[in-house]
Amino acid sequence: MKPWRYEHWCLPAVGGEFVAAMEDVLELYAEPYDPLCPTVCFDEKPVVLHAEVRPHVPASAGQPERIDCEYQRRGSANLFFLVEPLRGWRQVHVTAQRTKQDYAEQMRWLVDVAYPSAEYVRVVQDNLNTHTPGALYEAFPASEACRILRRLEFHYTPKHASWLNMAEIEIGVFQRSCLQRRIADEQQLRQQVTALQEERNANTKESHRSLNHLCTESDDFPLYA
């Protein structure tokens, strides 16, 4: 034993509310693809911006690249992830913050730009306080909010179980691939995420396989066996 070691872990209370929300999301994932009512997973990720103060020392034979431990803090930004697992598609938007106004704009973009021909879009999201229908009424006139909401159907992950949201799989891919290095500003951040987004959207077979891993495991879900 090594009693000084520990891990951060999410320990949800598995009751009726948890199971009901979990079943709702997993059944939604198991449904066949329907372009008229697509399922889109939505989430966001804050990004801290750091600028280098000294140039890197390039890698050489037997020596990895060296990066100075000192950096300059440049504020923060936000990434909104919209992911359609069954199509292997994702869209990442860079914003300065993640207010109710920003959330409402993402929902309007989803129905008007991404899926203008769909009857409605089923949105899987967590229980963040900005993820509510009321956010649209605070951001837009009532008639506009109502128009958008008529084409949205919200499905919430259980509280303390946002890992059931497949958008978090995509966030993990972006974190490992392009967000671990220091990024100085929003322009550089947008360049990084757009390049990876286009690469993964072009390689739909591979991204489809990674996104659907959770679905293939759901039949053996261990929480209430």
Side-chain angles (χ1 to χ4, degrees):
M1 293 181 61
K2 298 179 180 179
W4 60 89
R5 298 184 62 184
Y6 65 91
E7 292 181 348
H8 288 283
W9 198 252
C10 180
L11 302 173
V14 183
E17 292 295 328
F18 184 101
V19 174
M22 179 187 70
E23 290 283 10
D24 175 60
V25 171
L26 293 180
E27 287 183 9
L28 187 63
Y29 288 160
E31 290 187 11
Y33 178 65
D34 185 350
L36 294 180
C37 50
T39 295
V40 175
C41 299
F42 177 84
D43 207 350
E44 60 271 294
K45 176 179 175 54
V47 177
V48 178
L49 303 174
H50 301 102
E52 303 288 0
V53 295
R54 297 180 182 86
H56 297 183
V57 177
S60 58
Q63 180 68 55
E65 180 184 23
R66 283 171 288 179
I67 301 174
D68 195 279
C69 62
E70 187 178 353
Y71 58 84
Q72 182 182 12
R73 179 75 180 264
R74 289 284 187 88
S76 62
N78 176 69
L79 299 177
F80 282 117
F81 285 79
L82 301 102
V83 182
E84 188 184 353
L86 290 180
R87 188 156 63 100
W89 169 89
R90 78 277 302 133
Q91 178 73 33
V92 185
H93 292 148
V94 179
T95 61
Q97 51 193 354
R98 55 168 183 81
T99 64
K100 290 182 178 180
Q101 176 74 42
D102 296 300
Y103 169 77
E105 292 289 355
Q106 294 299 309
M107 294 300 103
R108 179 158 66 177
W109 181 91
L110 190 62
V111 300
D112 288 350
V113 179
Y115 298 97
S117 300
E119 293 179 3
Y120 60 93
V121 181
R122 298 178 293 189
V123 180
V124 176
Q125 58 188 354
D126 61 26
N127 295 272
L128 193 66
N129 62 353
T130 56
H131 295 176
T132 66
L136 279 78
Y137 283 94
E138 293 186 29
F140 306 129
S143 58
E144 176 69 352
C146 184
R147 178 190 71 82
I148 298 168
L149 288 170
R150 284 194 181 118
R151 297 188 54 221
L152 293 171
E153 180 183 282
F154 295 125
H155 296 259
Y156 291 91
T157 59
K159 292 181 180 179
H160 305 295
S162 60
W163 41 266
L164 279 170
N165 187 342
M166 286 195 189
E168 292 208 355
I169 300 174
E170 197 67 23
I171 290 174
V173 172
F174 275 71
Q175 176 65 35
R176 293 188 298 272
S177 301
C178 69
L179 299 178
Q180 289 186 335
R181 285 182 171 269
R182 293 170 186 166
I183 298 176
D185 52 41
E186 284 190 23
Q187 180 180 357
Q188 184 182 358
L189 177 61
R190 189 171 287 107
Q191 292 171 345
Q192 295 276 354
V193 299
T194 299
L196 183 56
Q197 169 190 295
E198 292 176 352
E199 176 186 334
R200 287 181 59 74
N201 281 341
N203 188 9
T204 56
K205 184 176 181 180
E206 178 63 31
S207 61
H208 185 275
R209 180 163 54 247
S210 66
L211 282 170
N212 279 281
H213 174 71
L214 182 59
C215 277
T216 61
E217 298 295 322
S218 63
D219 290 340
D220 299 315
F221 206 85
L223 281 177
Y224 61 105

